[in-house]
């Protein structure tokens, strides 16, 4: 099917569309329509085209679905209605409470495409308890490899990953296996290479600054164009690609002083679309503001996001397990910080943040569902932005890895794993790019400068050679290979433990479980940790044995764990060093006389 090609260029006096291959393109003059839009001829699916604005260009379509020639080349018409979906029975899945799995398409498999993530791998993830796959950004970006946060064609699917049709096939496969799909979207900025939006209209403004330069224009003259660009983009993923959720990158950088914040507008629009489609649609925000207004309904004056990432929980958990307290981990690492994170979500909830040098955040009301906060022990940022891209599993003991999984998956929050974490992957995930010169060299030099003198030598115990993001080997070394467990004995041990944790998770999902058994964390002795809740996680990370009262049913053990005195009704749980035990206190009596090890 064909449809008239359209583009928003409110200040232009002449817009042309160049149809066909670049060396023999046919020029057609477009006609002005209402509200700054221009309309041209109907173009069939698969047609290449580009725009010229007042004689400048040719430029790709700002709303291009497909960039087969890269971010500087012509766009290609993609008819999203041409795909035959088989997911009519899919009822949808909310992001709230879903075990989420973040993956990078380019490094998850050897081929690095959406089609390469086949039914076998999806079934494997589902069998491990994963319920929602979160894809790192797919919008077209310069070169063939990268994280995707420098995307410039936000309506497109990166051609190296298979283009837009491959995403439809992926979502259809995932739904058939019972997996929801979330897509990471970056609305707060566009990358510097291939960003042609400013050639068409006031998509950006110098009235505000962001870490990436000028802000997207959400509240100045002509802001209707960028606001519509964002809202239309989000609804398109839900409608044309059947996505279940969007993760919104760094929403604190969406500076909007208008009467109605863009996030509130987006939330209301998506809610209406959800009602029309008859399935849940979720918006998950990454926010540094530490303010529950982000997940408060718009009808109550909030911004209406379904959920948000909770970095403070990660910081508290990571610093406690690893002992790292440099940089933004400075206020974390203690049992009191970990306890506050599990009880209150935000450690910085109005008090002083030493990293920021000022008071930060606001308390989360007890009435706010803790599933509205996504927590993790690893993600692309927390691994990839380390000097060497090393994962916690490469440094933690097996027991600490086991504890980490349990402390995330059995928490009161929405849990997220980073690809490979489910089997203890130790290969790094590094920052990699594929920019042309001179930007490529600038990125490499900037990366080296960024990590100079930041205490990494002390952390790693010696000199540090930061991998060059432009070196293809940096990308290749970040691949998982098969996308499944590597198969070592250590991997198998973590995999078996993961299964026990997932099996125990049903106890934490029962109505009233967390009210009866509130979240928290405590130490019996230094490095002898208990996470409180419907399933208690006892983790002995010390060099001495750990003895705790047995106050429920043992539902999982890692390492050497024994139960003594169960016949008296006053049993004791004995944990050797580097052992973990799961005890369901909300799920019946404890087990009589049990000794186990793994």
């Amino acid at each position: 099917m064909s449809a008239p090609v359209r583009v928003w260029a409110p200040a232009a006096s002449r817009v042309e569309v160049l149809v066909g291959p670049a060396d023999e393109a046919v020029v057609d003059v477009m006609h002005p329509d209402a509200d700054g839009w221009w309309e041209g001829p109907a173009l069939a699916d698969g047609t290449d085209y580009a725009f010229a604005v007042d004689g400048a260009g040719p430029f790709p379509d700002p709303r291009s679905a497909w960039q087969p020639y890269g971010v500087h080349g012509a766009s290609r018409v993609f008819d999203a209605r041409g795909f035959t979906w088989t997911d009519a029975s899919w009822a949808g899945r909310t992001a709230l409470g879903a075990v989420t799995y973040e993956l990078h398409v380019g490094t998850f498999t050897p081929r690095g495409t959406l089609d390469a993530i086949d039914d076998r791998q999806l079934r494997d993830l589902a069998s491990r308890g994963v319920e929602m796959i979160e894809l790192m950004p797919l919008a077209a970006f310069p070169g063939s490899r990268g994280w995707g946060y420098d995307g410039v064609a936000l309506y497109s699917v990166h051609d190296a990953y298979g283009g837009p049709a491959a995403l439809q096939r992926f979502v259809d496969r995932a739904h058939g296996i019972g997996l929801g799909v979330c897509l990471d979207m970056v609305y707060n900025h566009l990358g510097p290479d291939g960003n042609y939006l400013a050639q068409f209209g006031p998509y950006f403004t110098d009235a505000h600054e962001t870490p990436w330069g000028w802000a997207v224009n959400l509240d100045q003259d002509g802001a209707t164009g960028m606001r519509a660009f964002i809202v239309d983009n989000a609804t398109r993923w839900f409608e044309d690609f059947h996505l279940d959720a969007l993760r919104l990158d760094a929403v604190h950088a969406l500076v909007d002083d208008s009467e109605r914040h863009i996030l509130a507008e987006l939330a209301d629009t998506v809610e209406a679309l959800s009602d029309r489609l008859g399935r849940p649609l979720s918006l998950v925000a990454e926010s540094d503001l530490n303010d529950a207004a982000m997940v408060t309904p718009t009808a109550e004056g909030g911004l209406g996001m379904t959920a948000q990432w909770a970095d403070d929980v990660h910081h508290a958990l990571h610093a406690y397990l690893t002992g790292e307290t440099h940089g933004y981990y400075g206020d974390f690492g203690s049992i009191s910080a970990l306890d506050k994170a599990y009880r209150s979500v935000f450690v910085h909830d109005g008090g002083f943040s030493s990293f920021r040098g000022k008071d930060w955040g606001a308390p989360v009301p007890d009435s706010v569902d803790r599933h509205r906060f996504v927590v993790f022990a690893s993600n692309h940022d927390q691994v990839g932005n380390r000097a060497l891209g090393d994962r916690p599993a490469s440094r933690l003991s097996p027991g600490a890895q086991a504890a980490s999984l349990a402390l995330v998956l059995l928490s009161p929050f929405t849990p997220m794993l980073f690809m490979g974490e489910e089997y203890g992957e130790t290969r790094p995930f590094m920052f990699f790019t594929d920019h042309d010169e001179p930007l490529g060299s600038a990125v490499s030099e900037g990366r080296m400068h960024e990590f100079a003198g930041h205490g990494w030598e002390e952390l790693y115990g010696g000199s540090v050679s930061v991998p060059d993001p432009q070196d293809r080997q940096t990308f290749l070394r970040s691949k998982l290979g098969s996308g499944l467990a590597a198969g070592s004995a250590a991997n198998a041990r973590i995999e078996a433990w993961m299964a026990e944790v997932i099996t125990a998770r049903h106890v934490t999902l029962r109505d009233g479980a967390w009210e009866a058994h509130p979240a928290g964390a405590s130490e019996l002795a230094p490095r002898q940790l208990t996470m409180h809740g419907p399933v208690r996680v006892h983790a002995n990370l010390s060099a001495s044995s750990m003895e705790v009262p047995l106050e429920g049913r043992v539902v999982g053990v890692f390492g050497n764990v024994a139960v003594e005195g169960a016949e008296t009704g006053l049993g004791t749980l004995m944990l050797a060093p580097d052992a973990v035990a799961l005890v369901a206190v909300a799920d019946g009596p404890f087990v009589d006389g049990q000794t186990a090890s793994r």
Side-chain angles (χ1 to χ4, degrees), residues 46-181:
T47 302
D48 292 343
Y49 69 103
F51 295 118
V53 181
D54 289 334
F59 305 120
D61 184 352
R63 297 192 178 205
S64 169
W66 194 359
Q67 288 297 122
Y69 308 107
V71 297
H72 301 289
S75 303
R76 179 169 291 171
V77 176
F78 173 72
D79 183 4
R81 297 165 295 180
F83 183 71
T84 301
W85 291 91
T86 65
D87 67 347
S89 63
W90 175 249
R93 184 182 292 280
T94 178
L96 292 177
V99 178
T100 303
Y101 186 90
E102 185 188 30
L103 68 82
H104 177 270
V105 171
T107 56
F108 187 69
T109 65
R111 284 196 291 142
T113 66
L114 287 158
D115 285 330
I117 307 173
D118 59 24
D119 285 1
R120 178 179 62 93
Q121 291 169 308
L122 293 176
R123 288 194 184 95
D124 177 81
L125 292 176
S127 72
R128 295 171 189 261
V130 172
E131 297 169 312
M132 179 84 73
I133 293 177
E134 181 174 310
L135 302 171
M136 286 176 63
L138 302 181
F141 55 81
S144 62
R145 60 187 183 272
W147 279 16
Y149 295 93
D150 54 355
V152 293
L154 302 192
Y155 280 69
S156 70
V157 175
H158 193 50
D159 193 59
Y161 296 157
L167 178 59
Q168 290 181 318
R169 293 190 292 268
F170 175 85
V171 175
D172 200 47
R173 287 198 305 277
H175 285 175
I177 291 166
L179 294 168
V181 182

Side-chain angles (χ1 to χ4, degrees), residues 154-469:
L154 302 192
Y155 280 69
S156 70
V157 175
H158 193 50
D159 193 59
Y161 296 157
L167 178 59
Q168 290 181 318
R169 293 190 292 268
F170 175 85
V171 175
D172 200 47
R173 287 198 305 277
H175 285 175
I177 291 166
L179 294 168
V181 182
C182 174
L183 177 60
D184 195 339
M185 288 303 304
V186 184
Y187 293 133
N188 53 56
H189 76 289
L190 274 74
D193 187 12
N195 176 7
Y196 295 105
L197 283 188
Q199 304 293 331
F200 291 87
Y203 282 95
F204 303 96
T205 176
D206 60 358
H208 307 295
E209 286 289 331
T210 75
W212 308 282
W214 283 12
V216 294
N217 182 15
L218 302 172
D219 56 9
Q220 305 298 307
D221 289 345
T224 55
M226 177 53 93
R227 295 179 75 95
F229 184 84
I230 291 173
V231 173
D232 292 348
N233 179 277
T235 57
R236 172 179 175 272
W237 296 118
F238 291 127
E239 290 192 273
D240 292 347
F241 293 86
H242 292 201
L243 287 169
D244 302 283
L246 296 179
R247 183 261 190 187
L248 309 181
D249 181 68
V251 297
H252 46 270
L254 291 171
V255 186
D256 184 2
D257 293 333
S258 63
E259 184 175 341
R260 188 185 188 203
H261 196 281
I262 184 63
L263 291 180
E265 179 182 346
L266 183 58
D268 288 342
T269 302
V270 169
E271 183 179 12
L273 180 61
S274 175
D275 291 341
R276 178 165 66 83
L277 296 179
R279 58 185 176 90
L281 305 175
S282 302
L283 296 172
V284 181
E286 180 198 17
S287 172
D288 185 48
L289 301 178
N290 282 22
D291 193 334
M294 186 65 60
V295 293
T296 300
T298 58
E300 300 174 18
L303 293 176
M305 298 293 98
T306 310
Q308 72 167 86
W309 280 22
D311 278 351
D312 278 18
V313 177
H314 166 269
H315 297 351
L317 178 57
H318 180 87
Y320 182 87
L321 292 176
T322 65
E324 295 178 7
T325 55
H326 65 291
Y328 50 67
Y329 294 128
D331 293 334
F332 301 90
S334 65
I335 187 61
S336 61
L338 186 61
D339 178 51
K340 184 172 183 181
Y342 276 85
R343 286 186 295 104
S344 306
V345 186
F346 300 141
V347 174
H348 295 134
D349 58 0
F352 185 74
S353 164
S354 63
F355 179 71
R356 300 177 179 92
K358 57 184 174 181
D359 291 345
W360 197 259
V364 177
D366 291 339
S367 60
V368 177
D369 183 356
R370 272 17 185 192
H371 280 159
R372 293 196 179 275
F373 301 95
V374 179
V375 304
F376 34 79
S378 294
N379 63 35
H380 71 276
D381 269 333
Q382 302 300 342
V383 174
N385 282 329
R386 294 172 65 84
L388 300 180
D390 52 308
R391 297 167 178 262
S394 67
R395 303 171 64 83
L396 294 178
S397 68
Q401 291 181 58
S404 177
L405 280 169
L407 291 166
V408 170
L409 290 165
L410 300 178
S411 74
F413 312 110
T414 291
M416 188 180 82
L417 305 176
F418 184 54
M419 61 179 193
E421 190 178 353
E422 73 278 14
Y423 60 84
E425 177 64 78
T426 57
R427 280 173 284 193
F429 180 78
M430 297 175 282
F431 180 67
F432 45 83
T433 56
D434 187 22
H435 292 296
D436 290 334
E437 294 299 340
L439 181 58
S441 293
V443 168
S444 296
E445 293 169 7
R447 188 75 172 175
M448 309 299 179
H449 177 76
E450 178 184 358
F451 286 101
H454 279 202
W456 292 105
E457 290 83 359
E458 180 180 353
L459 176 66
Y460 290 121
S463 61
V464 176
S465 178
V466 179
D468 182 355

